[in-house]
Amino acid sequence: MLSIWNYRIIQRYENSLGRLSFVYVRKKTKWIKNIFVALVILSVLWMLTITLFFIKEEITGHSAYYPIWMLYMIFCYVFLFLGIKHLNKVSGSVTNLEDPIQKKITNFQLSGLDHVFSERELQLVHSNPISITGILSYFATSLFDKNKRDDVLLDIVENCISQLQLQECSIYMICKENKTLIPKAIYSNKNNCEIIKRKKQIPIPIGEGTLGKVVQLEKYQCVENLSVIIGDNEKYITRRSKLSVPIFIRKKVVGVLDAEHDEKAYFKSHHIALFLLIAKLTEIKLSQINTNTNPVVLTNITNDNAYFKELDFLMKEEKIYVDPNLGLENISKRLQISSNYLSQLINKLGGCNFSDYINSYRVEEVKSKLKDPDYDNYTVLGIAMECGFNSKSPFYSAFKKHTGVSPKEYRQQQQIMS
């Protein structure tokens, strides 16, 4: 019973981290599941031992097992207590809405979406701002350089799989000639999260099934249990939950964004809100392509760009540059935007490439410490390592590029001036 109780706690913890990647959640809980398996095996062995006592009456000396059994029960309770404490600590650090830094980052993301959505649409975001704004930011920036309809549709469904941990996502577009919905982009998440592109799909007549109903009613449909609709032939059912959202262009339905999951009643209110906004992003991008306007509708790169302000905040306040393993991919995940968009952002607003941008902050940090008397006993290379550089040669090159002198010469100049 204790083992099952522990396993339920693990499941609740994993569900609370639904906005994170599946691989991350599995990694965070693997050690707990290993202990859970050990507890189950021990429980089975104890059950077999007790059964043996009842079957063979000649076996005596049961009392010798009682202290061991008590220790086992104490171990179970200790594990239960430490497990709950650990999960609450980690979960709290991830989802703590009162964290001032996270609040500021969320405000940056919201301001980045202000020009994309109306005030009424952004009300959907406020129901769960940290989760939804991060996902929307990634979707919007990922679409930034997509200029063909098929590229846009494929990007949307692929991001739904990678960012939302769904089993399957698809976009169907309306064919006016024969009044059917034609599948244009379908991705399925199977076999340890491998994304599989599926091509040969059957058109769906408008008016039939859940997708046809979305087109007719011009309203989303959320099905909690597909088996209720399909009937008793459950062997043909591949998914349990379904969420279908209309895609509009000029207030007319042109397609349907469809998502499916194995769990019954999987899609909740925040999923519906998020998919309505993703459908809106799709509408904006498709409208832009249809009218041949410049590709700056979703995420303009201007001096007041909210994502660049967020990056500047992280560099100055959190000093993320001191991490020697910091890379474009790391920062883009932290900002929850695409790495390609981040690269263009730094090139245009930072006026340099990614490496020079990060090193400029590291060099400034080195300069600050070289001026500080508290670091007089540190070697120049030791200070450089503490500021994020991971080897001597790149540090000396970056320092001279940004200051015009070597680190040793700079330190001597500061000592003379002081």
Side-chain angles (χ1 to χ4, degrees):
M1 288 177 65
L2 283 169
S3 297
I4 293 171
W5 190 4
N6 271 290
Y7 191 67
R8 292 296 299 164
I9 292 170
I10 295 168
Q11 283 188 320
R12 286 196 298 272
Y13 171 64
E14 289 181 335
N15 291 336
S16 73
L17 297 180
R19 73 184 182 86
L20 301 175
S21 71
F22 178 72
V23 175
Y24 174 87
V25 175
R26 283 282 299 275
K27 185 178 179 181
K28 291 295 283 187
T29 57
K30 185 177 179 181
W31 69 274
I32 306 177
K33 287 184 177 178
N34 289 340
I35 296 180
F36 164 74
V37 172
L39 289 174
V40 171
I41 293 172
L42 286 172
S43 298
V44 172
L45 289 174
W46 276 114
M47 288 283 289
L48 293 174
T49 303
I50 295 169
T51 304
L52 186 64
F53 288 160
F54 280 99
I55 295 174
K56 294 189 176 184
E57 296 181 357
E58 65 271 18
I59 298 178
T60 58
H62 302 176
S63 59
Y65 290 92
Y66 294 155
I68 301 175
W69 201 349
M70 290 300 295
L71 287 172
Y72 169 69
M73 296 300 291
I74 291 171
F75 173 77
C76 287
Y77 277 112
V78 169
F79 169 63
L80 179 66
F81 172 76
L82 293 178
I84 292 174
K85 185 178 179 181
H86 168 76
L87 296 180
N88 288 339
K89 179 182 178 181
V90 177
S91 181
S93 67
V94 172
T95 59
N96 185 7
L97 302 182
E98 299 303 318
D99 181 35
I101 293 178
Q102 184 59 62
K103 276 187 172 182
K104 196 170 184 69
I105 290 173
T106 303
N107 290 335
F108 281 128
Q109 292 174 340
L110 282 171
S111 62
L113 297 171
D114 279 344
H115 70 287
V116 178
F117 301 106
S118 66
E119 186 175 343
R120 180 181 64 82
E121 289 165 338
L122 282 175
Q123 290 301 315
L124 297 172
V125 176
H126 291 292
S127 62
N128 192 358
I130 288 180
S131 175
I132 294 181
T133 53
I135 294 170
L136 286 177
S137 294
Y138 186 87
F139 272 77
T141 56
S142 182
L143 289 173
F144 175 76
D145 59 345
K146 304 295 185 296
N147 299 314
K148 295 180 180 179
R149 190 189 72 165
D150 287 349
D151 292 340
V152 170
L153 302 183
L154 287 171
D155 192 67
I156 290 291
V157 295
E158 185 176 358
N159 286 335
C160 283
I161 295 294
S162 63
Q163 299 295 312
L164 306 179
Q165 292 79 53
L166 300 176
Q167 262 79 44
E168 187 170 291
C169 185
S170 55
I171 293 180
Y172 288 73
M173 301 300 287
I174 293 177
C175 178
K176 295 181 181 178
E177 295 177 0
N178 53 10
K179 296 182 179 179
T180 59
L181 282 165
I182 306 295
K184 292 296 182 181
I186 299 182
Y187 272 78
S188 179
N189 191 352
K190 295 179 181 177
N191 304 326
N192 295 325
C193 298
E194 289 181 7
I195 296 176
I196 305 168
K197 182 180 176 183
R198 297 169 55 188
K199 294 182 178 179
K200 295 181 180 179
Q201 300 291 325
I202 302 172
I204 299 174
I206 293 176
E208 293 187 14
T210 305
L211 298 180
K213 194 174 181 181
V214 171
V215 177
Q216 281 190 329
L217 300 178
E218 298 186 351
K219 187 178 180 182
Y220 75 85
Q221 297 294 311
C222 186
V223 182
E224 293 187 346
N225 187 0
L226 284 174
S227 61
V228 173
I229 294 176
I230 297 174
D232 297 327
N233 298 323
E234 294 198 13
K235 62 182 180 180
Y236 296 109
I237 301 171
T238 57
R239 306 295 180 205
R240 296 292 185 181
S241 302
K242 189 178 187 70
L243 175 60
S244 304
V245 176
I247 300 172
F248 293 89
I249 290 183
R250 300 187 188 91
K251 298 183 179 180
K252 289 185 179 180
V253 179
V254 297
V256 178
L257 173 62
D258 181 64
E260 298 181 359
H261 200 279
D262 288 337
E263 293 182 23
K264 294 180 181 179
Y266 175 79
F267 296 105
K268 304 298 189 291
S269 58
H270 69 277
H271 289 110
I272 296 172
L274 181 56
F275 268 78
L276 288 171
L277 294 171
I278 292 173
K280 180 65 176 180
L281 281 176
T282 309
E283 173 192 344
I284 294 172
K285 192 64 183 182
L286 291 179
S287 298
Q288 167 196 311
I289 292 172
N290 290 343
T291 55
N292 294 317
T293 56
N294 293 326
V296 293
V297 176
L298 289 180
T299 45
N300 294 327
I301 297 183
T302 56
N303 291 329
D304 61 345
N305 184 278
Y307 302 115
F308 192 75
K309 288 181 179 179
E310 182 183 346
L311 174 61
D312 187 61
F313 172 79
L314 291 175
M315 297 295 281
K316 292 178 178 177
E317 299 299 323
E318 289 199 25
K319 298 186 176 182
I320 59 174
Y321 53 82
V322 298
D323 177 6
N325 298 316
L326 189 68
L328 192 67
E329 198 67 30
N330 304 106
I331 299 179
S332 63
K333 285 181 180 178
R334 179 68 187 271
L335 296 175
Q336 294 180 296
I337 61 178
S338 74
S339 55
N340 181 49
Y341 181 76
L342 175 60
S343 178
Q344 294 187 51
L345 204 62
I346 293 174
N347 286 336
K348 185 169 182 179
L349 299 184
C352 57
N353 60 35
F354 174 78
S355 179
D356 284 343
Y357 178 77
I358 299 299
N359 284 339
S360 66
Y361 280 93
R362 289 171 176 165
V363 168
E364 287 302 315
E365 184 74 9
V366 170
K367 288 167 62 179
S368 175
K369 284 179 167 53
L370 289 175
K371 296 176 185 177
D372 191 341
D374 292 339
Y375 287 86
D376 284 347
N377 294 327
Y378 280 64
T379 64
V380 172
L381 187 58
I383 293 175
M385 295 294 186
E386 192 169 295
C387 297
F389 289 100
N390 54 17
S391 60
K392 182 177 179 179
S393 180
F395 161 58
Y396 273 80
S397 297
F399 194 92
K400 193 157 189 177
K401 181 177 181 179
H402 286 86
T403 63
V405 295
S406 69
K408 187 177 181 180
E409 290 172 335
Y410 184 85
R411 177 175 244 180
Q412 290 173 346
Q413 290 174 3
Q414 296 304 314
Q415 290 174 345
I416 293 171
M417 290 174 63
S418 61

